[in-house]
Amino acid sequence: MLTLLAERVSRHLERSPKSPKYLCMRDALIELIVEGQLREGTRLPTEQALAEALPLSLGTVQKALRDLVESGELYRRRRLGTFVAAGDHRREINTPAFRFLRPDGSRVRMVFIRLMKRERVGAERPGGWSEALGHCEAGYVRLVRQDRIDGAFDCHTEIYLRADQAEALLEAPVEAFEHESVLPLLQARTRMVVDHADNRVRMVRLPRTVAIAPDAEQPASGLRLETFYRHQDGTVVAWQVMHIPANDYSLSLHTELR
């Protein structure tokens, strides 16, 4: 196990030299779990053994394991160790309007979503969401996510929906957002039919909260991908804004969703 994990961690570190090292270890472990290399109930080596076998510090190993325990991929038993949890650990997220492709053209199948914020925005508060979705007396639902693509880079995503259509999402469990994109969740809870999407892409200076090096003197450049999910009658059901840092992956965009 240690040899295989060391090889996988080294691959992530080489592919993503600017990414935090604990995320590289986390992603490598999840890949091995999804592939069946680490099966349910498998006991992991101790933190000290992992730190000695991997090109990582003990603190980095501890942070990666803690993150996986919090997300439910692993669990701990007092005085016995850390084990692989039961459940579906796949991270292939259904994004019907677009998908990322690796440099070799293959489809990305490892997407890690973390819900950072969920809130209701009042109708009295102006913003691009009201222009995109139209006026809504009930206000709007705002979701803020961090989307880690293939262990290679992080995207900052904001999604806005009308509260009169998506209020149920304010009460949905956080885990649901981290295993599925918003559109299937919305359709499952409201039976709303989303027919097609408009994608708009342009080069921008990334906000400092999004850039890989937020302390840099100049903000990094990247893509701003806006997706307008539309109902059969043409009205916009959801407005999504994704900031994507520079990378060597490709975007495949789709219009018809059915």
Side-chain angles (χ1 to χ4, degrees), residues 139-244:
Y140 306 88
V141 175
R142 176 179 180 249
L143 307 172
V144 181
R145 302 187 327 207
Q146 179 191 59
D147 300 347
R148 185 165 177 78
I149 309 300
D150 209 30
F153 57 93
D154 296 328
C155 299
H156 178 88
T157 303
E158 294 190 20
I159 303 168
Y160 295 87
L161 310 102
R162 292 174 59 98
D164 58 1
Q165 298 172 338
E167 189 170 17
L169 296 184
L170 290 171
E171 303 300 328
V174 172
E175 293 77 12
F177 295 92
E178 298 186 343
H179 290 270
E180 187 56 273
S181 61
V182 168
L183 188 59
L185 289 174
L186 181 64
Q187 293 184 129
R189 285 167 169 73
T190 66
R191 297 184 179 179
M192 183 179 297
V193 177
V194 179
D195 186 70
H196 62 284
D198 296 330
N199 287 302
R200 303 176 187 177
V201 184
R202 61 189 173 95
M203 183 71 72
V204 298
R205 289 288 187 181
L206 296 177
R208 290 189 179 276
T209 54
V210 181
I212 294 177
D215 58 344
E217 293 184 5
Q218 295 294 328
S221 296
L223 293 179
R224 174 186 169 97
L225 170 62
E226 290 185 74
T227 303
F228 299 81
Y229 291 102
R230 297 184 181 275
H231 188 266
Q232 290 173 308
D233 61 9
T235 58
V236 178
V237 173
W239 178 49
Q240 177 171 304
V241 180
M242 175 180 279
H243 285 97
I244 307 169

Side-chain angles (χ1 to χ4, degrees), residues 14-73:
E14 181 179 356
R15 186 168 60 186
S16 309
K18 295 183 179 180
S19 296
K21 291 183 178 180
Y22 85 94
L23 290 179
C24 292
M25 178 179 172
R26 184 199 68 176
D27 294 354
L29 276 169
I30 290 184
E31 283 184 355
L32 294 177
I33 293 171
V34 171
E35 293 169 6
Q37 303 285 351
L38 296 177
R39 298 184 180 276
E40 175 187 339
T42 299
R43 180 181 177 180
L44 298 185
T46 65
E47 295 174 346
Q48 290 77 9
L50 287 169
E52 291 174 2
L54 303 176
L56 304 172
S57 68
L58 178 60
T60 297
V61 169
Q62 292 173 330
K63 189 171 184 179
L65 295 181
R66 184 166 58 248
D67 192 78
L68 287 170
V69 169
E70 291 175 354
S71 65
E73 314 300 336

Side-chain angles (χ1 to χ4, degrees), residues 30-31 34-35 73 88-96 98-102 106-113 145 148-150 175-182 184:
I30 290 184
E31 283 184 355
V34 171
E35 293 169 6
E73 314 300 336
D88 186 354
H89 302 276
R90 290 175 298 173
R91 286 296 193 276
E92 183 175 2
I93 306 299
N94 181 23
T95 52
F98 61 90
R99 65 171 57 102
F100 287 94
L101 302 176
R102 296 185 177 117
S106 62
R107 180 178 176 179
V108 167
R109 296 189 179 277
M110 297 295 289
V111 178
F112 301 88
I113 290 180
R145 302 187 327 207
R148 185 165 177 78
I149 309 300
D150 209 30
E175 293 77 12
F177 295 92
E178 298 186 343
H179 290 270
E180 187 56 273
S181 61
V182 168

